[in-house]
Amino acid sequence: MRVHRKQGGLTLIGFLIVLSMVIFVAFIGMKIGPIYMEYYSVVSAMNGVASERGSARLSPFDIRVKVLNRLYVSYSAENVKGQHIKLTRASNGVNLRVAYEVRKPVIGNLDVVAKFDRTVKLAN
C-alpha cells in the first residue's frame, strides 16, 4: 500500500511575506546602525580623553576641544556639539558627561529618536 505525502514548503505568497519582513528589518537597520556607530565613536573619544594623564586639571574649554577633535577625526561630529559636553566636579574627581539626542526620518513622517547619555571620570 502506498502512502501519498503532501509536499511541504513555502508558497509564493509566504515567500513574499517573509522577504518583505526581511527587507523592512534591513531598512530599519540601515537607518539605526549609523546612529549607534556614532555613539560608539563618542564613547571611544570620551574614554580616550578620560584616560589621558592630567585631563582632570584641564579647563572645560580644552576638554570640549579634545573630545570634539577626536570626533572630527573619526567623522562622528555630526550630532554632538559643544553644548552637549558638560563637566561636573564631584567628591571623587571630575566627571565628563555627553548627553545628546539624534532624530532621523525613517518613512514619511515617522522618525527614529535615540537619546544618549554617558558619563566618565577624568584621570588626575
Side-chain angles (χ1 to χ4, degrees), residues 27-48:
F27 177 74
I28 296 298
M30 286 188 296
K31 292 289 187 172
I32 295 175
I35 295 171
Y36 279 96
M37 291 176 67
E38 180 185 44
Y39 171 68
Y40 292 125
S41 293
V42 170
V43 169
S44 175
M46 290 175 69
N47 290 337

Side-chain angles (χ1 to χ4, degrees), residues 10 13-23:
L10 204 59
I13 293 173
F15 174 72
L16 290 176
I17 290 171
V18 170
L19 182 65
S20 65
M21 286 191 294
V22 167
I23 289 173

